[in-house]
Amino acid sequence: MIKRFISLEWKQFKRSSYFQKGLAIKILLIFGALYFMTAAFFLGISAFFMAEEFVKDVDPFVTINNYVIYWFLFDLVFRFFMHQLPVMNIKPYMIIPIKRETVIHYLLGKTTISFFNLLPLFLFVPITGVLLFKGYAALSALTWLISMLGITLCNNFLNFLINKNNVFFYSLLSVLAIFIGLEFYDIYKVSKPLGVAFYSLYTQPYLVIIPLIAAFGLYKANYSLVRSGFYLDGAISKKTKAVTTENLSWLDRFGSIAVFLKNDIKLIKRNARPKQVLMMSFIFLFYGLIFYTQETYREMPVFLAFASIFVTGGFLLSFGQLVPSWDSEYYKLLMSQNIPYRKYLESKWYLMVVAVAISFILSTPYIYFGWDIYGMIAAGALFNIGLNSFITLFGGALNRVPVELNVKAKAFSNTQGFNPTQLLIALPKMIGPMLIFYVPYKLIDFNAGIIALAISGILGIALKGVFLNKIEAVYQKGKYKTIAAFNEKK
């Protein structure tokens, strides 16, 4: 029966009208997966020697165990954002004589066959190989490897449970932040007692049973959770929710584009996918911490310009790139109304401008790193408003892949609305500000680069009318092709 399930899912994938587009995206994802696997492999090979180099007079394997907890915590957070839980259309199987236990076991078994469970192999197997090469006890090293893979499976099934309750996820994120804070400021070395626990999986091989039992227990917990709702009436019934209306009259000051702004705000508040993207855009605010805290990047300011675009441009880059796909479910109705296309595009531009402005205000704590950094962020915000917003809108004219608003998929891994053309459109948004900053910086100084980046954004704002006219012409030309494309469903 499992073989039959696999055969049916392959036919569903292959016969889909989106097979070619989905295949192209999956090829890109495969290249990304190969990159991360290669990086993990080389990290696994070098981890022992790096620990030996940087932490003197301590067994390198002890050092590795002290920090392996962070791998698993980051793995769990990474899974929450990226790991799209496998699904299958189970309704047809509920009315034919197939044991529900078989279907549930198949669903849970699919979760173990994923990139997120394969990646740890490329890290822990090389570490184990180095341990054997260095003369560590073979049996203990192998049981340690099995324990690491058992904990990986625990993360896999724990992610299933966390997805059912966001409270668990935010609690986990808070714990991770506290651990890093305590470690970074030398308040308390959380890694040491946890490292002792992980190292004991090597010194006492019989403890391998603990992560294996934990993985089995989490599997049973998931099985019980799915089994409790595995009924036909539960699968087809719809929850009734109280209907609420919102006036949003404060948006009327924007005149004729107010109706579109109200529609977008309601879309974000009421639907799953836009909410996820909004949360993702907030996370972009912390992107600068990767660059502004490292002295290395201070010596390469062009990367600071790159970071400044992300700090204030999270919403623009994530939500904006899916214009007009957000409206795909009612795009035909929208285009049949007696409304100027220009107003529709202008409303999207104002929405992105407001989001950039709010992000800039929220980025005020970056003043801590110096006024030069904050000036860079301000210049990046102007560039986002004056140029990146129009580049994003232009890219939307080439994006004809629909988005299902209430599909509860991961904002980071959901490829609905994605097409490879967006990668080409993204290049000027990333490389452009770096070039505009770098040339004056190299010829004059740092401040000249900031001023050039800011002036480019101001010029874009001044030419708003010209840009919108050109973009409107492109949208009008492809209007009916876009309507036809949005009528296709996966």
Side-chain angles (χ1 to χ4, degrees):
M1 185 54 66
I2 299 298
K3 183 179 178 181
R4 178 64 60 85
F5 286 154
I6 295 173
S7 173
L8 291 174
E9 290 208 52
W10 170 248
K11 289 176 182 177
Q12 181 184 19
F13 168 72
K14 188 173 64 173
R15 295 172 181 176
S16 168
S17 62
Y18 275 77
F19 174 71
Q20 291 181 342
K21 292 179 182 178
L23 189 62
I25 293 170
K26 284 176 173 57
I27 289 172
L28 291 174
L29 293 177
I30 287 171
F31 279 114
L34 290 174
Y35 168 80
F36 283 109
M37 288 175 182
T38 304
F41 177 79
F42 283 108
L43 177 61
I45 290 291
S46 58
F48 185 93
F49 304 102
M50 288 192 298
E52 190 175 36
E53 176 69 23
F54 293 110
V55 185
K56 305 292 185 181
D57 303 322
V58 177
D59 184 348
F61 190 45
V62 171
T63 303
I64 290 173
N65 280 283
N66 285 345
Y67 291 97
V68 76
I69 181 61
Y70 292 104
W71 167 270
F72 288 117
L73 287 175
F74 276 116
D75 174 60
L76 198 52
V77 172
F78 191 57
R79 285 173 187 269
F80 180 85
F81 284 113
M82 295 291 293
H83 191 186
Q84 178 61 46
L85 298 176
V87 295
M88 63 184 293
N89 188 6
I90 61 174
K91 293 178 186 177
Y93 300 107
M94 292 181 170
I95 57 175
I96 57 179
I98 296 178
K99 291 184 178 181
R100 64 189 68 183
E101 290 80 3
T102 303
V103 179
I104 296 172
H105 284 306
Y106 174 72
L107 279 173
L108 294 178
K110 279 179 66 179
T111 68
T112 63
I113 306 171
S114 74
F115 162 75
F116 300 93
N117 294 324
L118 188 62
L119 185 62
L121 285 172
F122 286 83
L123 176 70
F124 293 119
V125 170
I127 290 176
T128 305
V130 173
L131 293 177
L132 296 176
F133 177 77
K134 287 290 185 177
Y136 284 75
L139 177 62
S140 298
L142 291 174
T143 54
W144 180 86
L145 172 62
I146 295 171
S147 298
M148 296 301 103
L149 299 181
I151 297 173
T152 298
L153 287 178
C154 288
N155 271 6
N156 178 75
F157 296 122
L158 190 59
N159 180 48
F160 226 169
L161 298 175
I162 290 174
N163 270 266
K164 300 297 181 181
N165 191 336
N166 285 342
V167 173
F168 289 120
F169 168 72
Y170 292 116
S171 300
L172 175 69
L173 200 60
S174 300
V175 169
L176 179 59
I178 291 170
F179 277 14
I180 293 175
L182 292 173
E183 195 85 29
F184 183 79
Y185 292 105
D186 285 329
I187 298 173
Y188 179 71
K189 292 291 183 181
V190 181
S191 59
K192 288 187 177 180
L194 292 173
V196 171
F198 282 109
Y199 188 66
S200 64
L201 294 171
Y202 168 80
T203 57
Q204 304 177 57
Y206 62 88
L207 293 179
V208 68
I209 195 67
I210 295 176
L212 295 180
I213 290 175
F216 179 75
L218 287 168
Y219 179 91
K220 294 296 290 184
N222 278 283
Y223 177 86
S224 299
L225 181 66
V226 177
R227 180 72 172 76
S228 63
F230 199 89
Y231 296 99
L232 185 60
D233 53 351
I236 63 176
S237 63
K238 295 183 178 180
K239 294 181 180 180
T240 303
K241 295 183 179 180
V243 178
T244 58
T245 58
E246 297 170 282
N247 190 18
L248 300 177
S249 57
W250 54 275
L251 288 171
D252 291 337
R253 68 189 69 182
F254 289 96
S256 55
I257 67 169
V259 62
F260 300 110
L261 292 173
K262 291 179 181 179
N263 187 59
D264 284 331
I265 291 175
K266 291 175 182 177
L267 179 144
I268 293 171
K269 292 180 67 176
R270 296 175 179 176
N271 297 284
R273 178 82 187 278
K275 284 181 181 178
Q276 293 171 345
V277 170
L278 184 64
M279 182 180 69
M280 181 177 71
S281 65
F282 175 75
I283 293 173
F284 272 81
L285 279 169
F286 302 96
Y287 193 83
L289 295 175
I290 300 173
F291 292 86
Y292 303 146
T293 57
Q294 302 295 323
E295 196 62 35
T296 305
Y297 294 113
R298 293 275 188 159
E299 299 171 1
M300 298 184 292
V302 68
F303 288 102
L304 301 183
F306 176 80
S308 68
I309 298 302
F310 279 87
V311 170
T312 59
F315 184 83
L316 182 149
L317 296 170
S318 55
F319 185 90
Q321 71 170 347
L322 295 179
V323 173
S325 293
W326 293 117
D327 304 310
S328 59
E329 294 190 0
Y330 51 87
Y331 195 74
K332 185 188 294 186
L333 173 64
L334 199 62
M335 292 297 104
S336 66
Q337 305 302 306
N338 185 23
I339 52 175
Y341 218 133
R342 167 68 177 269
K343 297 297 181 183
Y344 171 79
L345 295 173
E346 196 171 359
S347 70
K348 304 296 183 184
W349 184 79
Y350 274 110
L351 189 66
M352 289 187 282
V353 168
V354 171
V356 171
I358 293 173
S359 296
F360 176 65
I361 294 170
L362 294 176
S363 70
T364 303
Y366 280 112
I367 293 175
Y368 172 81
F369 297 103
W371 287 102
D372 55 339
I373 295 297
Y374 194 62
M376 177 76 79
I377 294 173
L382 286 172
F383 182 88
N384 280 328
I385 293 173
L387 289 177
N388 265 354
S389 58
F390 298 114
I391 296 172
T392 301
L393 283 177
F394 174 76
L398 308 176
N399 183 21
R400 299 191 178 107
V401 182
V403 168
E404 295 180 35
L405 296 173
N406 269 313
V407 172
K408 294 184 178 180
K410 300 303 177 194
F412 284 86
S413 62
N414 193 337
T415 55
Q416 285 186 357
F418 175 87
N419 71 69
T421 305
Q422 291 178 7
L423 297 178
L424 298 177
I425 296 297
L427 289 178
K429 291 191 283 188
M430 306 301 173
I431 299 175
M434 297 173 71
L435 289 176
I436 292 172
F437 169 82
Y438 182 74
V439 175
Y441 160 72
K442 202 67 177 176
L443 296 177
I444 308 175
D445 59 13
F446 184 87
N447 290 331
I450 292 178
I451 292 170
L453 192 60
I455 289 175
S456 66
I458 294 170
L459 288 175
I461 296 172
L463 295 172
K464 169 193 165 189
V466 177
F467 287 146
L468 283 178
N469 287 337
K470 297 291 185 182
I471 294 170
E472 180 188 8
V474 176
Y475 272 86
Q476 288 283 14
K477 186 177 180 180
K479 176 179 178 179
Y480 296 103
K481 289 183 179 179
T482 304
I483 291 173
F486 285 168
N487 281 338
E488 292 187 43
K489 297 291 183 182
K490 282 189 177 182

